[in-house]
Amino acid sequence: MNSWSSAGSSRDLEMVGAIYDAGLQPQHWQIVLDRLCEYLNLDSATLFCVDESARSANFFIDNAGFSGRTVKDFGAHYHFLEPGFRHRRNKPIGTVSASNLLVSDDAHEESELYQDCYRRYGFFYTAGVIIARQNRRNSTLGLQRAKRK
């Protein structure tokens, strides 16, 4: 028996379908990010494109309420401090990284990324996957959640 078909619930398939639909109808990404947060018990999700050469985020959708200034600062600076970015940078598209597997909680809590950016929004743990790459531009799906006891 195929493990994919036996493991996939209708909820799983609905989520995958919503992602594909948003790929065809970009105005639906906000709804997909909201559903993804509910589905995975996350605090926020982001979809963004960062141009490494220009050090800018030129496309950004989130459901965390990031301000325009935060988006600009993220694309120019904080994205490059993200341990997942450094891990995924030269890996194949689809490589997933999770912050808790790349850096200790103590080190992360002391980092500029956490102190100056993520803490403001209540994020602690992050995960991400590059979904498209062209030259030095990466489109990334990022997932964030608070530190929970």
Side-chain angles (χ1 to χ4, degrees):
M1 177 181 262
N2 182 328
S3 63
W4 171 258
S5 63
S6 64
S9 71
S10 62
R11 189 171 178 218
D12 295 339
L13 297 175
E14 287 174 16
M15 191 70 242
V16 170
I19 291 168
Y20 276 104
D21 289 346
L24 298 172
Q25 299 174 339
Q27 68 272 20
H28 290 215
W29 275 114
Q30 187 68 57
I31 295 165
V32 169
L33 295 180
D34 292 341
R35 287 178 64 188
L36 193 58
C37 285
E38 180 183 322
Y39 182 73
L40 296 174
N41 193 28
L42 301 169
D43 295 313
S44 74
T46 54
L47 181 63
F48 57 95
C49 181
V50 170
D51 184 333
E52 292 180 44
S53 300
R55 293 186 75 86
S56 65
N58 54 7
F59 174 77
F60 201 96
I61 300 171
D62 75 274
N63 65 350
F66 287 120
S67 69
R69 178 69 186 176
T70 300
V71 171
K72 183 177 179 187
D73 290 347
F74 187 81
H77 182 67
Y78 294 114
H79 174 69
F80 299 93
L81 300 178
E82 226 307 318
F85 164 73
R86 292 190 301 269
H87 174 76
R88 293 185 304 269
R89 188 172 194 186
N90 297 312
K91 302 272 191 314
I93 293 171
T95 300
V96 176
S97 63
S99 62
N100 63 310
L101 300 176
L102 300 172
V103 64
S104 72
D105 284 2
D106 290 340
H108 180 60
E109 200 156 13
E110 297 297 320
S111 72
E112 176 186 356
L113 175 67
Y114 176 73
Q115 290 293 321
D116 294 352
C117 186
Y118 286 170
R119 184 173 66 166
R120 178 178 345 164
Y121 293 95
F123 306 151
F124 193 83
Y125 297 110
T126 63
V129 59
I130 292 177
I131 56 176
R133 178 183 290 133
Q134 182 179 23
N135 300 322
R136 294 184 47 105
R137 290 189 309 220
N138 297 301
S139 297
T140 301
L141 175 63
L143 311 172
Q144 303 85 29
R145 77 169 181 84
K147 190 175 188 179
R148 297 184 177 102
K149 295 180 183 187

